[in-house]
């Protein structure tokens, strides 16, 4: 009977070990595409609101760049799948609802309430489906 060997002595055993630095392909489905479009349109909405609501260039440029940047940072910190701050499902929902309402209210404030309402409904439906997926 032979004594157990170290894995270092048998390099062929390491071929079954996955590489921890390998990039895993992410699943791309219709919901993921819709969520990306909702997020992009939300950021666009805030920038568009900053453009139309504030005189250019002094405060206008601050709001055109600052409003979407602030929303993106808040989303990254609290809602992103890779967020550095651990947040429970309720906290994630609160952050997402606040950002969606802010983008929808931006359209209402510049005189396009239908666009704001449609955006809020589409974002709410995609958010509910995503949260159901995360909770299960």
């Amino acid at each position: 009977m032979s004594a157990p060997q170290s894995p270092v002595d048998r390099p062929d055993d390491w071929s079954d070990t996955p590489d921890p630095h390998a990039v895993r392909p992410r699943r791309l489905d219709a919901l993921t595409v819709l969520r990306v479009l909702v997020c992009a349109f939300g950021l666009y909405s805030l920038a568009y609101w900053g453009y139309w609501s504030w005189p250019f260039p002094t405060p206008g440029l601050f709001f055109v760049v600052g409003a979407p940047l602030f929303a993106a940072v808040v989303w990254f910190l609290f809602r992103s799948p890779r967020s550095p701050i651990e947040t429970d499902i309720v906290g994630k929902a609160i952050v997402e609802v606040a950002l969606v309402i802010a983008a929808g209210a931006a359209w209402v404030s510049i005189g396009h309430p239908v666009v704001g309402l449609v955006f809020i409904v589409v974002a709410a439906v995609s958010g509910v489906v995503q949260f159901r997926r995360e909770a299960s």
Side-chain angles (χ1 to χ4, degrees):
M1 192 143 87
S2 64
Q5 294 181 346
S6 166
V8 175
D9 296 336
R10 296 177 37 199
D12 58 322
D13 285 347
W14 288 99
S15 62
D16 296 336
T17 306
D19 181 17
H21 301 292
V23 177
R24 293 185 310 237
R26 292 193 58 174
R27 203 174 80 191
L28 186 65
D29 57 352
L31 180 63
T32 304
V33 172
L34 179 64
R35 298 281 294 168
V36 168
L37 291 175
V38 164
C39 289
F41 190 76
L43 294 175
Y44 168 76
S45 300
L46 293 172
Y48 192 69
W49 167 80
Y51 178 76
W52 282 107
S53 297
W54 299 92
F56 201 73
T58 308
L61 189 59
F62 175 74
F63 283 100
V64 167
V65 174
L69 183 64
F70 177 76
V73 168
V74 168
W75 183 86
F76 171 73
L77 288 176
F78 298 104
R79 179 64 190 101
S80 167
R82 296 183 179 155
S83 67
I85 300 172
E86 223 19 72
T87 310
D88 65 342
I89 195 87
V90 175
K92 289 181 179 184
I94 290 170
V95 168
E96 187 159 342
V97 166
L99 294 174
V100 166
I101 288 175
W107 284 104
V108 172
S109 75
I110 59 176
H112 299 289
V114 174
V115 176
L117 184 62
V118 169
F119 172 73
I120 289 174
V121 168
V122 170
V125 169
S126 73
V128 166
V129 172
Q130 178 67 29
F131 279 108
R132 299 276 301 177
R133 211 182 249 188
E134 287 178 5
S136 61

